[in-house]
Amino acid sequence: MDSTRRLGKYRVEREVLDEQRLEEVTQRKTHSDTHPSLTETLKDSLRCTAPKLKRSVLSCLPVLYWLPKYSIWDYGMPDLISGISVGIMHLPQGLAYALLASVPPVFGLYTSLYPALIYFFFGTSRHISIGTFTVLSIMVGGVTERLAPDTDFLITNGTNNTAEVDITARDLYRVQVAAATTVLGGLIQVVLGLVKFGFVGTYLSEPMVRAYTTAAAAHAVVAQLKHIFGVSPGRSSGAFSLVYTLRDVCLLLPHTHLPTLCVSAVSMVFLISAKELNSFLSPRLPVPIPMELITIVAGTLISTYTYLNRNFTISVVGEIPNGLSYPSVPDTSIFKKVIGDAFALAMVGYAISISLGKTFALKHGYNVDSNQELVALGLSNAVGGFFQCFSVCSSMSRSLIQETTGGKTQMAGVASALIVLVTILKLGPLFQELPTAVLAVIVLVNLKGMFKQYSDIVTLWKRSKIDLVVWLVTWVSTMLLNLDLGLAASIIFALMTVIFRTQMPTYSVLGNVPGTELYVDMETHREAREIPGVTIFRSSATVYFANADLYLEALKEKSGLDISKMIIYKKRQEAKQRRREKRAERREKRQAKKERRALGASEPPSGAQVFSVEEEATRWRDTCVDGIVTDEGEQGRAERENGTVFVVPVSPQTPDGPCRWEYLKGGEPDSTSLGWMSELQDGDTTTLGSSSEDTLSRDLERVSLGSLGKWTWDIHSIIIDLSTANFIDTVAIKTMKNIFQDFSKIDVDVYLAGCQSCVVEQLELGDFFSESVTKRHLFASVHDAALYCLDHRGAASLPRHETSVDTYDGTKL
């Protein structure tokens, strides 16, 4: 459509509406109409109907919604291919990430099986792959090694009096710790989901999550160095644990186990080369080549036939039991020790899953329920914990494979779980001779994508400095304070940036764009024009307790009115005016007395005139500085342009010449100029000769400031634009009351414009309205408020009937 048809000028005539008139026109509903009572809410929640029951069941079990509509012909083969591809990735990642969690590798396979099956019934995302993930595995590993360190499982060898670690007992207790932490974290997620607390994940912004995962990748690298070099550093916990672990590894580098290092180097070169080749060939391949699985198979075969463990004492995976484990209740006594870690796992896992799920949902055009996702992830963790699984969430790498290979529904997750199930039941023992160094290399190579996130620093530097600071603080705190403390510090800092930005918003004075009803910041737009006598004030953030005082100070600064000084000046002038009125009254009495005495004596000389104070004041309104007289119309325009005009004598009459008078605009007269004037003595009514300049100066000297007309300011009205406010608290309401009261003392009217209905309701509940402040002080728009101010207090006018409005297909909106 041509732009000239879309835009045009139209005559728009309508009534200026304040809030009270707007409610009459629109018939706004009352609070009771829009908000049902507590009794009605309880009755509605307890009322059971067939449609309501159906919605509740489908919301709790989303599988019942899409599974009956599932088409095998359309979705069966894509889901099967995608599931097999993801299942093959589950095997190496499950074994490798179990090392990060400091539990035997077989429990990584269990973690890749049970949670995926649970998510199939309760999840709403069609493309994410639930299972092991790097960050959560590291966090679980920090908990297990903190509560079950090697030093607690030392046994003394009676032969040579040396201490050895009871690996079996240690691993058994670590599995219990991991399972208890996972169950508790899952229960936290379920409870938060049931109370509709799914929005909590929005507090984890994208820059913070990316910085957190980048720092977690560094933790993963440091945790795998002991497997790469074949050393045994002491694992630290708490703040600066990464620094201490890295220091111990560096100190143990002279004791590196060379056979283990050779296996690590060969595996890394092979895997990196294979993955680069896979990336080069991926556009031509229907399914990516499972390079990790090929590496595991090759490493297992080489280790088995060359007896690496027996000949070179290279550490291997060890015994992998055949079959599934029986469910068991976790040790509840561990809950109180890991509640903080469980909450951190719950929040991080949910943030990663919901962000990834919403990304795929937006791409493929379906909805993801954030609260149901929280419940589904919580049940996956809670139920999985009973089968000795550790915490899970969606994996970016596996989810991308599931989406790019054509996966359509959660059936792909079931297919991948079947691949893992077959491995556990039949193929598990075949990987007993797999070197742990190969698994460590798989972890390191798969972290390449996370290390690419360091490029965010350059991107955020160009786009948002505040987001960059959040990224850096999150990265530094996570690196130094460990994963749990780092997450808490990052969230607190991110919330502080939000509070800081709302405390220090941008304050602006708006001006009208000629010919329109638009109002823009006058400092940033050249064509914006100030409305005579009216100041329109707007804040970029809502007004609440944290910035209410700053809001009031900014309003005074932008309006240019120092209320306290002006009130003092007003009282001073009113007191002077009262004294002058008394003097004038005494002068009039004396003058009348003199006139009665001189009534029969003689007539006044010809050519002389008698002026009263009021007549002289009227004559002075047509007189400019140094006696220059202007016409009445020109003087009127000058007063309208100046707004605030004071006419004061700056010096008394001297023998050398007459006194000087001047106009003062928009400010308090200089105290030095008014000092002598306040000390004038009472005088008589003066008889002026038209040719006597000295006589005229002497009489003007006696004219009081108060007799020249009531003093005023440049601004007679202030409009506060509250269109940016979505709520207003009690502190802000009190601030608004103070604004109305303070400015009324200096005869400046205050109006509110653009208030949303919820803000109006909160003003009513906060007893904002009174006899002096009513809904007639509230306007639906800034333009209506400005028009009212000009009609009520101002002499100028805006272009009211010709405005530029958007049109569609030539039709006036």
Side-chain angles (χ1 to χ4, degrees):
M1 183 181 300
D2 186 70
S3 60
T4 58
R5 295 183 59 195
R6 291 180 60 252
L7 297 176
K9 289 187 176 180
Y10 295 86
R11 294 179 60 87
V12 180
E13 298 185 6
R14 64 173 179 84
E15 178 186 359
V16 174
L17 298 176
D18 55 32
E19 187 67 28
Q20 182 173 337
R21 178 57 181 156
L22 179 64
E23 291 182 359
E24 295 174 359
V25 172
T26 59
Q27 296 295 313
R28 177 177 292 174
K29 297 180 180 179
T30 62
H31 184 272
S32 59
D33 295 333
T34 57
H35 297 78
S37 63
L38 180 61
T39 304
E40 295 176 351
T41 304
L42 291 176
K43 288 181 179 180
D44 184 68
S45 62
L46 297 176
R47 187 179 294 114
C48 183
T49 61
K52 185 176 180 180
L53 179 62
K54 181 180 179 181
R55 288 195 302 268
S56 300
V57 173
L58 292 179
S59 62
C60 295
L61 286 171
V63 67
L64 298 179
Y65 175 77
W66 62 267
L67 188 59
K69 305 176 183 179
Y70 186 81
S71 174
I72 298 178
W73 300 107
D74 295 335
Y75 302 146
M77 187 56 65
D79 284 342
L80 180 61
I81 296 174
S82 177
I84 293 174
S85 303
V86 174
I88 292 174
M89 290 187 66
H90 265 301
L91 299 179
Q93 290 186 0
L95 294 172
Y97 294 159
L99 296 181
L100 295 177
S102 298
V103 296
V106 67
F107 292 96
L109 297 179
Y110 296 156
T111 305
S112 301
L113 172 63
Y114 295 107
L117 295 177
I118 300 299
Y119 185 83
F120 168 78
F121 293 99
F122 299 96
T124 59
S125 177
R126 305 174 189 174
H127 294 91
I128 63 174
S129 174
I130 296 296
T132 57
F133 186 63
T134 310
V135 176
L136 297 189
S137 300
I138 298 171
M139 296 176 69
V140 172
V143 179
T144 55
E145 295 200 7
R146 186 184 75 240
L147 298 182
D150 292 340
T151 55
D152 291 352
F153 299 92
L154 295 177
I155 56 176
T156 303
N157 191 334
T159 305
N160 51 11
N161 292 327
T162 58
E164 296 180 356
V165 178
D166 188 351
I167 296 178
T168 303
R170 181 202 65 184
D171 291 345
L172 180 61
Y173 188 67
R174 286 182 175 179
V175 169
Q176 294 180 4
V177 171
T181 306
T182 301
V183 170
L184 184 57
L187 293 177
I188 292 174
Q189 289 174 329
V190 171
V191 171
L192 293 179
L194 292 178
V195 298
K196 309 299 181 183
F197 211 65
F199 70 90
V200 69
T202 58
Y203 287 101
L204 304 177
S205 63
E206 182 182 0
M208 191 184 74
V209 172
R210 290 176 67 87
Y212 184 80
T213 54
T214 304
H219 280 272
V221 170
V222 174
Q224 297 308 302
L225 291 179
K226 61 181 180 180
H227 300 293
I228 298 293
F229 293 100
V231 296
S232 299
R235 178 71 179 267
S236 303
S237 61
F240 301 101
S241 60
L242 180 69
V243 178
Y244 297 144
T245 304
L246 187 60
R247 180 199 61 185
D248 293 343
V249 171
C250 293
L251 293 176
L252 292 174
L253 285 180
H255 305 284
T256 299
H257 191 242
L258 293 180
T260 301
L261 182 61
C262 291
V263 172
S264 302
V266 172
S267 302
M268 186 173 296
V269 171
F270 173 77
L271 186 58
I272 292 177
S273 302
K275 290 181 76 69
E276 292 297 326
L277 179 62
N278 194 17
S279 300
F280 178 75
L281 297 176
S282 58
R284 308 175 187 177
L285 298 175
V287 178
I289 302 174
M291 294 301 179
E292 291 89 349
L293 183 60
I294 295 175
T295 304
I296 287 179
V297 172
T300 303
L301 292 176
I302 295 173
S303 176
T304 301
Y305 289 104
T306 58
Y307 304 102
L308 294 180
N309 178 253
R310 186 189 310 169
N311 296 334
F312 303 100
T313 63
I314 293 177
S315 178
V316 295
V317 169
E319 182 181 359
I320 296 180
N322 226 344
L324 299 174
S325 61
Y326 291 99
S328 61
V329 179
D331 188 359
T332 55
S333 63
I334 303 176
F335 284 175
K336 60 182 179 181
K337 302 178 183 178
V338 298
I339 185 170
D341 303 283
F343 186 81
L345 285 165
M347 292 298 99
V348 174
Y350 171 67
I352 295 172
S353 296
I354 194 63
S355 59
L356 201 57
K358 287 186 175 181
T359 300
F360 289 122
L362 183 63
K363 181 178 180 179
H364 293 276
Y366 62 91
N367 294 323
V368 171
D369 188 346
S370 58
N371 292 309
Q372 182 59 29
E373 281 296 297
L374 195 53
V375 173
L377 192 61
L379 290 174
S380 300
N381 280 310
V383 176
F386 284 93
F387 291 92
Q388 291 81 49
C389 300
F390 51 89
S391 294
V392 298
C393 69
S394 61
S395 169
M396 184 177 298
S397 59
R398 294 195 307 270
S399 299
L400 288 174
I401 293 298
Q402 182 169 323
E403 190 257 349
T404 54
T405 53
K408 302 296 184 182
T409 65
Q410 292 93 319
M411 289 297 294
V414 175
S416 64
L418 292 177
I419 299 296
V420 177
L421 178 62
V422 172
T423 303
I424 294 174
L425 294 178
K426 299 296 181 181
L427 305 179
L430 298 179
F431 297 104
Q432 292 180 357
E433 294 296 323
L434 174 64
T436 55
V438 176
L439 296 177
V441 167
I442 292 175
V443 171
L444 294 181
V445 174
N446 284 334
L447 292 175
K448 181 183 68 173
M450 291 189 180
F451 286 120
K452 289 182 178 180
Q453 294 178 160
Y454 282 105
S455 61
D456 291 350
I457 297 176
V458 179
T459 303
L460 294 177
W461 173 263
K462 299 177 181 178
R463 296 180 180 177
S464 174
K465 301 297 189 298
I466 296 180
D467 285 341
L468 174 61
V469 173
V470 171
W471 197 101
L472 294 175
V473 170
T474 302
W475 185 85
V476 172
S477 61
T478 306
M479 291 285 287
L480 298 181
L481 301 179
N482 214 343
L483 295 174
D484 48 358
L485 297 177
L487 177 64
S490 303
I491 294 176
I492 292 174
F493 181 80
L495 294 178
M496 286 180 61
T497 60
V498 176
I499 295 174
F500 176 77
R501 280 185 278 186
T502 56
Q503 270 193 311
M504 305 294 292
T506 301
Y507 298 107
S508 55
V509 174
L510 305 184
N512 177 253
V513 179
T516 71
E517 295 184 3
L518 303 178
Y519 293 80
V520 294
D521 188 357
M522 295 183 60
E523 294 182 359
T524 58
H525 297 81
R526 294 189 182 91
E527 294 300 322
R529 296 292 180 263
E530 182 180 7
I531 301 175
V534 180
T535 294
I536 304 174
F537 179 77
R538 181 172 66 186
S539 170
S540 61
T542 188
V543 190
Y544 69 113
F545 67 92
N547 63 4
D549 292 339
L550 299 175
Y551 188 90
L552 179 57
E553 295 300 324
L555 174 59
K556 294 178 180 179
E557 179 183 353
K558 289 292 184 179
S559 63
L561 302 177
D562 191 331
I563 296 179
S564 58
K565 290 185 178 181
M566 296 171 73
I567 291 176
I568 295 173
Y569 177 74
K570 177 183 176 182
K571 292 180 179 179
R572 185 191 306 164
Q573 296 302 317
E574 289 175 348
K576 290 181 180 180
Q577 177 67 15
R578 287 191 295 268
R579 291 195 299 268
R580 293 181 188 118
E581 290 174 355
K582 292 180 181 179
R583 293 181 190 133
E585 185 178 354
R586 289 195 297 267
R587 283 196 299 268
E588 289 178 359
K589 290 180 180 180
R590 287 193 294 267
Q591 180 64 24
K593 186 177 180 181
K594 290 181 180 179
E595 289 178 354
R596 285 195 302 270
R597 290 177 180 177
L599 182 61
S602 62
E603 292 295 329
S606 61
Q609 293 179 333
V610 178
F611 289 87
S612 65
V613 173
E614 289 78 7
E615 291 173 340
E616 193 61 40
T618 303
R619 178 185 295 272
W620 179 245
R621 291 190 183 96
D622 297 327
T623 306
C624 290
V625 180
D626 296 332
I628 301 175
V629 180
T630 61
D631 61 79
E632 185 175 354
E634 185 178 353
Q635 177 65 21
R637 285 194 300 271
E639 289 183 357
R640 286 197 299 268
E641 291 176 357
N642 290 337
T644 301
V645 178
F646 295 103
V647 185
V648 297
V650 296
S651 63
Q653 180 182 1
T654 62
D656 298 334
C659 65
R660 288 181 55 83
W661 296 71
E662 69 177 12
Y663 286 92
L664 297 181
K665 173 178 179 284
E668 181 179 346
D670 190 5
S671 59
T672 59
S673 301
L674 294 177
W676 68 270
M677 184 178 174
S678 61
E679 299 174 359
L680 290 176
Q681 302 297 323
D682 295 338
D684 298 331
T685 303
T686 306
T687 303
L688 301 177
S690 58
S691 61
S692 176
E693 184 179 1
D694 292 341
T695 305
L696 177 62
S697 300
R698 182 171 61 255
D699 284 288
L700 289 178
E701 182 179 337
R702 290 193 176 99
V703 177
S704 67
L705 178 63
S707 67
L708 298 178
K710 184 179 180 181
W711 58 277
T712 182
W713 318 110
D714 280 336
I715 301 170
H716 58 71
S717 301
I718 291 179
I719 301 173
I720 299 177
D721 184 6
L722 290 181
S723 59
T724 58
N726 56 357
F727 73 93
I728 187 168
D729 59 8
T730 56
V731 177
I733 292 176
K734 291 180 180 179
T735 301
M736 291 298 168
K737 288 182 179 179
N738 293 335
I739 291 174
F740 274 82
Q741 293 173 359
D742 292 345
F743 282 97
S744 65
K745 295 178 181 178
I746 58 174
D747 298 330
V748 175
D749 296 330
V750 180
Y751 302 94
L752 305 182
C755 296
Q756 301 182 29
S757 58
C758 59
V759 175
V760 177
E761 292 179 1
Q762 291 166 1
L763 290 174
E764 292 176 341
L765 295 176
D767 296 331
F768 175 75
F769 300 106
S770 59
E771 294 182 1
S772 58
V773 181
T774 65
K775 288 188 177 180
R776 294 193 179 276
H777 291 83
L778 275 65
F779 288 87
S781 67
V782 171
H783 193 64
D784 285 4
L787 291 177
Y788 178 83
C789 292
L790 293 173
D791 287 340
H792 186 60
R793 294 284 296 265
S797 63
L798 288 174
R800 311 183 190 188
H801 302 304
E802 291 190 4
T803 59
S804 177
V805 297
D806 292 337
T807 62
Y808 178 76
D809 198 19
T811 303
K812 180 173 63 175
L813 298 180

